[in-house]
Amino acid sequence: MNAQITEEELAALMKKAAGITVAPEVLRQQPETPFETLGLDSLGLLGIVGELENRHSVPMPPDAERCKTPKQFLDLVNSALMAGA
């Protein structure tokens, strides 16, 4: 299993956990766009964190659910996954 979460996977998780449809290209081209602007609230982000913990069997950092942008989230989560790999 790939230890890095991509924009494609994050977009799929946003759809699954929160019902928010965002194109991976948007996450790639505008990584500093706040999740709030994309329609993802803190509960949706918490659902994504839980899904990643279940999927990868690695606890996510406590700050993961407080990330404000896709870039911040991916940087933090990918660092945690690499450390736990």
Side-chain angles (χ1 to χ4, degrees), residues 54-75:
N54 290 337
R55 192 178 288 184
H56 294 277
S57 301
V58 174
M60 293 294 114
D63 289 342
E65 61 199 48
R66 292 189 286 274
C67 289
K68 301 295 183 196
T69 67
K71 180 182 182 340
Q72 185 182 22
F73 183 78
L74 289 173
D75 288 348

Side-chain angles (χ1 to χ4, degrees), residues 17 40-53 62 64-66 73:
L40 185 69
D41 62 12
S42 58
L43 214 53
L45 194 55
L46 185 59
I48 291 170
V49 169
E51 178 68 27
L52 288 172
E53 288 177 338
E65 61 199 48
R66 292 189 286 274
F73 183 78

